[in-house]
Amino acid sequence: MATLAVNGGGGAAAATHTQAYLEGRAVKETRVLISELCRHFYTLGWVSGTGGSITIKVHDDSIPKPQQLILMSPSGVQKERMEPEDMYVLSGNGTTLSSPSPKPYPHKPPKCSDCAPLFMKAYEKRDAGAVIHSHGIESCLVTMINPMSKEFRITHMEMIKGIKGHGYYDELVVPIIENTAYENELTDSLAKAIDAYPKATAVLVRNHGIYVWGDSWINAKTQAECYHYLFDAAIKLHQLGLDWSTPNHGPTRNFKLGLGSNGNVNTSAKAVTEGSDYGSGLFPRCIVLDIEGTTTPISFVSEVLFPYARDNVGKHLSVTYDTAETQDDIKLLRSQVEDDLKQGVAGAVPIPPGDAGKEEVIAALVANVDAMIKADRKITALKQLQGHIWRTGFESNELEGEVFDDVPEALEKWHSLGTKVFSFSFSFSCRYGSQFCVYHLVVCAIMLFLLNVV
């Protein structure tokens, strides 16, 4: 074993740097302890694939805690196969005093844990006696349930009592920081989380794992076990549709709608977002939004879209007359007008045959459409043509959509959460007839069931 003796510090600190102390009983026992704990953590899935790490201070009543030696596991090694002599020994300020000797191929050259700078932050800011870094799957998955959340919160669970400073009725809050490509790049964000959450004894790293510290290795290990239990419980409660963050752990998948000031149901995008269970990390996989009054003001439809369609019937038919789509619209209108003439519907006028002049056909179509609009008829022939006119208007930039201010923010949030968003206009579908409206509603109900329940 290669050893580097470091002078300086004076008194008790200097005594820990001597060769005799480095080879003494306290250091040897801590080396053995780390190798034993890593073998145990491997069986729990915390340090598989060379991931995860652990560090423990060498306890010595004669040495002030900040000056006690620090032992750390190496990086990139099979943690379950580590031997006591594989550990690094550092001074209280993080200077390497002793490093392991290289091993033959296929072992990599020895390297101190990549977690070293993060471990040192826990020692400096929390006066910790040990720090555990786990890659346990529970600590990884629990950060994915709500990708927007910066905290994990849970309450009224017996194992919360195993976390320092917490009881059964307390709310346990664990900060979540974002992962980076390299471990040492997490140092600043972990330090900020430690400062921002003075009661916390752990920090979660999204899609990665957790750092847990304690006054001693026993305290750190106990808390790490409790954290993993609580994360596993939260995941299982989530799968059952129950809310782990509330005292009664009741259902969370109910889709709540806010109430407007007049007591009516508020179905705006903002109300849907704020009324849903996003705070608990549980949210629907699919949202179906109405258009009029939910994403778009009703006035936009009545004051912009309808007048535009009425004023541009002739222009639209003239420009697109020879297209298959418009010919299909004309065929549908002819059929409707023929029925209207038979039934004596007011405003219906005969449409010349197809071999008549284009202008004559369009003039008759405009007259019939104008009568249909004035009568506010809910018929497919009219609605299909209006839809095509509006599309042409949007494509030519003569029409510009209007949505409520909170809609873009809500859509971006749902998209980032992986929630699928669909639009459905109840009022528009009803204009096509009651049968079509009922059919559309049934389709939406089936879709919601399949996406949110199955």
Side-chain angles (χ1 to χ4, degrees):
M1 176 186 297
T3 302
L4 172 66
V6 180
N7 295 322
T16 64
H17 299 169
T18 65
Q19 190 72 23
Y21 192 87
L22 292 174
E23 296 178 356
R25 177 179 176 182
V27 174
K28 287 182 178 179
E29 289 179 346
T30 307
R31 287 177 178 274
V32 171
L33 177 60
I34 290 180
S35 60
E36 290 178 349
L37 287 174
C38 278
R39 281 193 290 273
H40 174 61
F41 293 161
Y42 178 80
T43 65
L44 299 176
W46 295 3
V47 295
S48 58
T50 77
S53 190
I54 183 174
T55 175
I56 300 176
K57 282 197 171 184
V58 179
H59 180 72
D60 188 332
D61 290 330
S62 66
I63 308 292
K65 196 170 185 179
Q67 298 175 11
Q68 292 175 356
L69 294 184
I70 298 170
L71 266 66
M72 289 188 189
S73 60
S75 176
V77 301
Q78 305 293 319
K79 298 298 191 297
E80 76 279 12
R81 294 179 60 83
M82 289 193 309
E83 300 295 336
E85 58 268 22
D86 293 330
M87 310 307 160
Y88 280 80
V89 182
L90 285 68
S91 66
N93 62 13
T95 302
T96 301
L97 302 178
S98 175
S99 57
S101 299
K103 293 183 178 182
Y105 180 85
H107 296 282
K108 296 180 180 180
K111 176 186 175 183
C112 190
S113 174
D114 288 335
C115 306
L118 292 90
F119 287 155
M120 292 306 299
K121 290 299 180 182
Y123 284 135
E124 295 166 8
K125 293 179 174 291
R126 287 290 185 269
D127 196 27
V131 189
I132 297 169
H133 175 44
S134 165
H135 283 192
I137 190 64
E138 306 93 338
S139 62
C140 183
L141 292 179
V142 81
T143 66
M144 300 179 182
I145 294 177
N146 184 351
M148 302 293 289
S149 177
K150 301 300 181 183
E151 299 172 337
F152 169 81
R153 292 174 174 268
I154 192 168
T155 187
H156 284 65
M157 293 287 286
E158 181 67 14
M159 293 295 271
I160 292 178
K161 292 160 62 175
I163 307 301
K164 182 181 178 181
H166 291 78
Y168 173 77
Y169 295 105
D170 294 327
E171 181 181 46
L172 174 65
V173 181
V174 185
I176 301 174
I177 61 176
E178 300 304 319
N179 195 26
T180 57
Y182 300 98
E183 198 88 28
N184 58 8
E185 295 175 350
L186 293 167
T187 306
D188 289 343
S189 55
L190 181 130
K192 291 178 181 177
I194 291 176
D195 290 338
Y197 294 82
K199 195 176 180 181
T201 57
V203 173
L204 281 161
V205 184
R206 196 181 314 280
N207 306 346
H208 183 146
I210 187 172
Y211 282 84
V212 183
W213 56 87
D215 296 334
S216 65
W217 71 267
I218 293 178
N219 184 250
K221 175 177 176 290
T222 299
Q223 292 189 103
E225 291 168 348
C226 291
Y227 278 119
H228 283 79
Y229 174 96
L230 293 168
F231 298 152
D232 184 53
I235 293 168
K236 287 183 168 62
L237 286 169
H238 171 63
Q239 293 170 335
L240 294 171
L242 302 177
D243 188 353
W244 67 78
S245 66
T246 59
N248 64 356
H249 304 305
T252 58
R253 297 190 69 88
N254 294 334
F255 195 69
K256 304 173 185 174
L257 297 176
L259 286 177
S261 57
N262 59 358
N264 295 326
V265 175
N266 183 352
T267 56
S268 70
K270 183 176 182 181
V272 171
T273 300
E274 293 180 347
S276 300
D277 295 296
Y278 284 82
S280 66
L282 298 171
F283 41 86
R285 285 177 282 173
C286 169
I287 293 175
V288 177
L289 295 174
D290 190 15
I291 297 174
E292 292 182 75
T294 301
T295 63
T296 301
I298 295 176
S299 59
F300 177 75
V301 178
S302 60
E303 298 174 9
V304 178
L305 291 183
F306 286 160
Y308 180 86
R310 181 191 63 224
D311 297 340
N312 286 273
V313 175
K315 176 183 175 182
H316 173 80
L317 291 174
S318 179
V319 172
T320 65
Y321 188 82
D322 294 322
T323 65
E325 182 176 83
T326 296
Q327 286 299 311
D328 182 62
D329 290 344
I330 293 174
K331 180 179 179 181
L332 201 59
L333 284 166
R334 282 184 184 278
S335 176
Q336 182 63 55
V337 171
E338 288 175 1
D339 289 342
D340 291 346
L341 290 170
K342 291 177 182 179
Q343 297 176 21
V345 175
V349 297
I351 300 175
D355 55 1
K358 172 181 173 181
E359 291 74 13
E360 292 181 43
V361 173
I362 291 177
L365 288 169
V366 171
N368 280 286
V369 170
D370 185 62
M372 293 174 182
I373 291 175
K374 289 179 179 178
D376 193 24
R377 299 182 65 184
K378 288 18 178 220
I379 50 178
T380 302
L382 174 62
K383 296 308 160 186
Q384 179 171 298
L385 177 63
Q386 285 178 320
H388 293 154
I389 294 173
W390 291 330
R391 185 187 63 196
T392 301
F394 282 115
E395 290 175 346
S396 64
N397 294 321
E398 293 181 357
L399 281 175
E400 196 170 292
E402 181 181 350
V403 296
F404 290 115
D405 293 339
D406 61 336
V407 171
E409 179 184 353
L411 294 177
E412 288 179 5
K413 180 174 182 178
W414 292 328
H415 177 72
S416 68
L417 294 171
T419 302
K420 297 181 183 296
V421 180
F422 299 89
S423 63
F424 161 72
S425 176
F426 181 82
S427 54
F428 269 85
S429 64
C430 285
R431 290 190 180 99
Y432 284 88
S434 59
Q435 289 183 332
F436 182 82
C437 180
V438 171
Y439 168 77
H440 207 161
L441 285 174
V442 171
V443 170
C444 285
I446 293 173
M447 180 174 64
L448 279 171
F449 175 79
L450 292 176
L451 290 175
N452 283 327
V453 179
V454 175

